[in-house]
Amino acid sequence: MQTQRVLLIQLPVPNNPATNTPLAAGYLRAYARSQGLLETIEITIMARELADYAGDAALVEAIAAYAPQILGLSLYTWNSERTLAIAERAKAILPGLIVIGGGPEVQHDNTWLLAHPGIDIAVVGEGEQTFVDLLRAHAAAQPSATQLAQIPGIIFRDRVGTLIHTPERVALAELSEIPSPYLNGDLPVRPGDMLMVEVSRWCPYACSFCLYGRNMGPKLGGRYFPLERLLAEIRYGRDHGITQVHFIEANLNLVPPFQELMHALAEINAAGGLALYAELRGEHVSEQVSDALAKAGLRVAEVGLQTANPLALKLAHRRTDLQKWAAGTRRLYARNVEVLLDVILGLPGDDAEGVAQTLAFIEQEQLGAYDAFTLQVLPGTAVRQQASEYALQFQDHPPYYILATDRLSYAELRRLRRELKQGIGLDPDAVEGCPLPHFDALARVPDNSALVDHIDLRTSPDLWPHVNQLANHVDIIADTILIEETECVAFLWLQQALLANPSTLFDLYLLATNTNEHATLNHREHRDTEEGQIQESRQAGSISWSPRLPVSPSPDLLITWRDKLAYTPGYLDRVAVYRREEPQPHHVRVSPRIWLVVPWVSQIDAQEYRGVAEIIWEYPLAPGEEPPLRAWQSAGGAGIWVRGPSVSTLRQQTDLWLWEGGIGALKH
């Protein structure tokens, strides 16, 4: 009998692949091993080098090349849409592929996900036992609907398309039954990764907006991993070059082994090489607790707050003693711990007056910096079940942002959000979770690596990569002449790249500079069909080179041109919704992100391009010349492209965004 192949995938937060440790997949493989399944089933976790950095088309190709019988997906708010779209494309290539999805996104009330053609079986809640049952059911042949219905904790469609919800899965009483994927070798770690260490699957609180998915009442029981295992995992990570440890635990200072864990960590981390990150319950951060955390090496603590409005706290079922919470938080500040303090806008019962009350509390209690977030009405949470009661309007796809409540219109919610963001020095139009630009984008030369993240459209098309080779964040260099027409070969390539990689963030650098260092690719011949257009243009020899100098396009021209590009709304586009003055549609296009590079002497107003393109000022800095930092600061726009000396020392003098180096030499 042919060995069954199973491929497990977890895709990253767009701006932070370092945190994408596929711990859930590691648990699945480790538990399957403990049940003897690895003797007959090949279970592979997609390599981080691919999962974290590949574009959509490259991931589809990788899945097709592996040709699994079962594809397992870890679905989170930030990756569920992208992951399911990729799975749907893989299913079209691999007839008979069974897609199983699990994770926090799988909930009985998440209608868009359960209706998605990219998923066959959805696993609700903890997945280890269910995964093993599904593997056994599929061992011989595809099970019937009757057979699947005997497996608790899943949702699937029968032959006529009806959704079948099986009974709830009883969670493991003892987490020690799940072997450590790190210590087993099921989940390797690399230097520079963040070690994810789960302490328990339990929370004594029932905050209405939260979906830890592990509230099993006030008693912990055996719902935490043994202390010896936690310490062994941390030692393993330290010995393999890990410098950051993130505890996956809602209330680290409340679990029974807390003091023993901190005492042992103080010894393990005596040299200070491990930076610890933890979520804490602020009311219970005593002097003793804060001392233990500091000695163990805690660098960053997430303590919440969310709101100081008593009504909002009550409706959220959040039992916070605000005075004790503030005192505990100040103890962390006193020990030089970076504190992440959050304010959530849009909670039921909250309004402009309640937000003002929260800000006044932060100031009165002499707390540090805070960040402002908007409520995510997550599937499976109590706040979603209460949506009609509080007239909650929200996005029906991730990130499920609140758009209005019975106390806050969209306009008022947006105004408050902008004011809070500006009050803490943040750009209210910045897209949370969107990667920063590559500040060497204007200096690099394409290297033709397996995953291509830098392309110069001013070169011959023969040097451009296939759209299936692209990474998930790609820099594209082009002259502004690119936008004059939509029949040039460069536009056609970009269109195909967007269609094949709708989730990739394309940073398009349009050069309106007078450097005369490059030629411009023009191609004006019309095409009757889209298929094979780029290849046809190459074969026809219709590519010509022109010495025309680029110019600065108007904002209207940029908008018209960008609107002709393929666009599939995704996660980051919905995160950007608050850029809109009206909430419809529930998204704003993020990619391609256009950077218009203009000479310093250009007479343009950067503010006129806001929302369309970001201006980068090209400044040729002569050796020994004093940089005009004040002039740069007042110019507006995204930042400066410093042509000349290294910007490393300049970055120490300013908080401006600085691009470095000269454009790489062209290859014709």
Side-chain angles (χ1 to χ4, degrees):
M1 184 174 67
Q2 184 182 11
T3 301
Q4 189 177 42
R5 290 187 304 278
V6 178
L7 181 62
L8 304 178
I9 299 178
Q10 176 175 303
L11 299 184
V13 177
N15 70 334
N16 198 357
T19 63
N20 192 42
T21 303
L23 184 57
Y27 282 145
L28 295 181
R29 192 173 193 275
Y31 190 72
R33 179 193 295 277
S34 74
Q35 302 301 303
L37 269 63
L38 295 194
E39 297 174 6
T40 56
I41 301 175
E42 179 183 291
I43 302 177
T44 300
I45 301 173
M46 179 176 279
R48 295 281 301 274
E49 291 78 11
L50 193 60
D52 292 358
Y53 301 105
D56 299 342
L59 289 170
V60 173
E61 278 203 346
I63 295 169
Y66 185 74
Q69 283 78 44
I70 294 177
L71 181 65
L73 311 175
S74 294
L75 301 175
Y76 299 89
T77 306
W78 57 83
N79 72 13
S80 55
E81 273 191 284
R82 181 189 181 205
T83 305
L84 291 178
I86 289 169
E88 182 181 4
R89 290 165 64 176
K91 284 169 66 69
I93 299 172
L94 300 171
L97 175 65
I98 301 298
V99 178
I100 301 174
E105 278 285 271
V106 178
Q107 302 292 332
H108 292 283
D109 59 356
N110 198 355
T111 53
W112 79 265
L113 184 147
L114 297 178
H116 200 288
I119 191 169
D120 297 304
I121 302 172
V123 176
V124 184
E126 294 178 15
E128 289 89 358
Q129 298 176 87
T130 307
F131 180 64
V132 164
D133 286 352
L134 287 170
L135 291 184
R136 286 174 173 153
H138 284 84
Q142 185 170 338
S144 66
T146 301
Q147 291 172 309
L148 284 177
Q150 305 305 309
I151 299 175
I154 65 172
I155 305 171
F156 67 97
R157 286 185 292 272
D158 63 15
R159 290 185 177 179
V160 297
T162 302
L163 279 178
I164 307 298
H165 298 246
T166 68
E168 182 179 355
R169 165 76 64 174
V170 177
L172 285 167
E174 297 290 336
L175 294 186
S176 57
E177 294 183 31
I178 306 171
S180 169
Y182 298 120
L183 306 179
N184 259 8
D186 292 300
L187 188 58
V189 299
R190 310 166 302 179
D193 286 347
M194 182 177 286
L195 188 74
M196 300 293 184
V197 177
E198 187 173 29
V199 179
S200 81
R201 297 181 182 177
W202 164 83
C203 181
Y205 301 99
C207 303
S208 67
F209 54 82
C210 183
L211 187 64
Y212 253 97
R214 54 192 187 183
N215 187 341
M216 299 186 67
K219 293 185 178 181
L220 183 58
R223 299 288 294 166
Y224 63 94
F225 290 102
L227 175 63
E228 296 76 14
R229 167 186 168 145
L230 301 177
L231 297 175
E233 289 183 334
I234 294 168
R235 290 191 187 97
Y236 170 84
R238 180 199 61 188
D239 295 344
H240 285 77
I242 293 294
T243 59
Q244 300 180 78
V245 177
H246 185 146
F247 288 107
I248 303 176
E249 173 55 53
N251 313 280
L252 182 63
N253 52 324
L254 297 188
V255 295
F258 171 74
Q259 286 294 344
E260 290 179 276
L261 176 62
M262 293 301 105
H263 179 74
L265 280 175
E267 295 182 2
I268 294 173
N269 197 22
L274 296 175
L276 308 183
Y277 179 110
E279 294 181 50
L280 304 172
R281 194 70 186 186
E283 303 97 301
H284 299 281
V285 179
S286 62
E287 292 288 348
Q288 181 185 14
V289 166
S290 54
D291 280 340
L293 288 164
K295 290 176 182 177
L298 182 70
R299 302 284 182 82
V300 182
E302 191 173 337
V303 295
L305 179 57
Q306 324 309 357
T307 180
N309 176 354
L311 177 59
L313 285 172
K314 179 181 178 181
L315 295 180
H317 308 295
R318 188 167 175 81
R319 305 191 303 271
T320 302
D321 185 319
L322 290 173
Q323 297 306 316
K324 287 185 177 180
W325 177 90
T329 301
R330 285 195 296 269
R331 292 185 183 106
L332 296 172
Y333 289 129
R335 287 157 179 82
N336 296 317
V337 174
E338 180 184 350
V339 175
L340 302 182
L341 192 161
D342 302 335
V343 174
I344 294 182
L345 299 174
L347 288 167
D350 209 6
D351 52 19
E353 184 178 343
V355 172
Q357 187 175 6
T358 299
L359 299 184
F361 170 78
I362 293 173
E363 181 178 2
Q364 175 185 330
E365 295 297 327
Q366 300 178 342
L367 301 172
Y370 63 89
D371 201 353
F373 296 93
T374 37
L375 177 66
Q376 293 176 264
V377 187
L378 298 172
T381 59
V383 74
R384 178 173 283 221
Q385 297 168 12
Q386 300 164 344
S388 59
E389 183 178 353
Y390 300 108
L392 303 185
Q393 299 175 37
F394 55 92
Q395 296 168 321
D396 58 3
H397 282 60
Y400 312 108
Y401 275 158
I402 189 75
L403 301 173
T405 74
D406 58 352
R407 292 169 176 256
L408 288 172
S409 66
Y410 175 79
E412 184 73 351
L413 182 65
R414 181 175 182 268
R415 180 189 67 79
L416 287 170
R417 181 185 176 278
R418 295 184 72 85
E419 288 180 358
L420 263 64
K421 291 287 187 181
Q422 290 170 336
I424 55 180
L426 297 177
D427 180 359
D429 290 323
V431 181
E432 294 157 346
C434 190
L436 290 173
H438 298 134
F439 294 109
D440 63 348
L442 296 171
R444 288 194 291 160
V445 174
D447 59 9
N448 297 317
S449 59
L451 288 178
V452 179
D453 65 356
H454 190 276
I455 303 154
D456 196 328
L457 292 183
R458 303 164 307 154
T459 64
S460 166
D462 292 326
L463 299 175
W464 303 346
H466 193 279
V467 295
N468 291 358
Q469 295 177 262
L470 299 181
N472 59 14
H473 184 184
V474 177
D475 298 325
I476 298 178
I477 311 296
D479 287 329
T480 53
I481 296 172
L482 170 67
I483 72 165
E484 291 187 3
E485 301 181 32
T486 57
E487 297 300 329
C488 68
V489 65
F491 181 88
L492 296 175
W493 181 91
L494 181 58
Q495 189 78 304
Q496 291 185 18
L498 288 165
L499 288 168
N501 301 278
S503 299
T504 287
L505 175 62
F506 290 94
D507 274 328
L508 177 59
Y509 291 87
L510 292 175
L511 304 178
T513 61
N514 296 320
T515 59
N516 289 317
E517 294 177 0
H518 45 266
T520 302
L521 178 64
N522 291 292
H523 175 53
R524 289 179 159 71
E525 187 173 332
H526 289 270
R527 294 287 179 268
D528 295 328
T529 63
E530 291 187 5
E531 185 67 29
Q533 288 173 327
I534 291 179
Q535 188 60 35
E536 288 173 9
S537 67
R538 292 171 176 167
Q539 295 172 352
S542 55
I543 297 168
S544 61
W545 297 92
S546 167
R548 297 167 58 201
L549 292 176
V551 294
S552 298
S554 69
D556 288 342
L557 181 59
L558 282 172
I559 291 173
T560 301
W561 177 81
R562 189 179 63 176
D563 286 348
K564 295 176 182 177
L565 291 169
Y567 172 47
T568 304
Y571 173 74
L572 288 177
D573 305 299
R574 292 188 178 86
V575 170
V577 66
Y578 298 112
R579 288 182 172 183
R580 303 185 61 87
E581 293 187 3
E582 300 293 334
Q584 297 292 344
H586 296 171
H587 51 84
V588 174
R589 182 172 197 153
V590 171
S591 179
R593 189 165 55 177
I594 299 176
W595 309 89
L596 183 59
V597 185
V598 300
W600 176 250
V601 295
S602 299
Q603 299 299 309
I604 66 172
D605 183 356
Q607 192 61 32
E608 292 182 0
Y609 288 84
R610 289 284 288 176
V612 183
E614 291 288 346
I615 300 298
I616 300 175
W617 302 97
E618 176 207 10
Y619 192 97
L621 188 66
E625 178 185 354
E626 190 69 22
L629 296 178
R630 289 187 178 180
W632 289 354
Q633 193 76 49
S634 61
I640 311 296
W641 175 26
V642 183
R643 303 287 302 276
S646 170
V647 301
S648 58
T649 55
L650 286 179
R651 287 201 174 101
Q652 300 173 15
Q653 304 174 40
T654 179
D655 59 358
L656 286 168
W657 280 4
L658 300 177
W659 280 260
E660 60 186 320
I663 284 286
L666 293 180
K667 299 177 182 178
H668 298 285

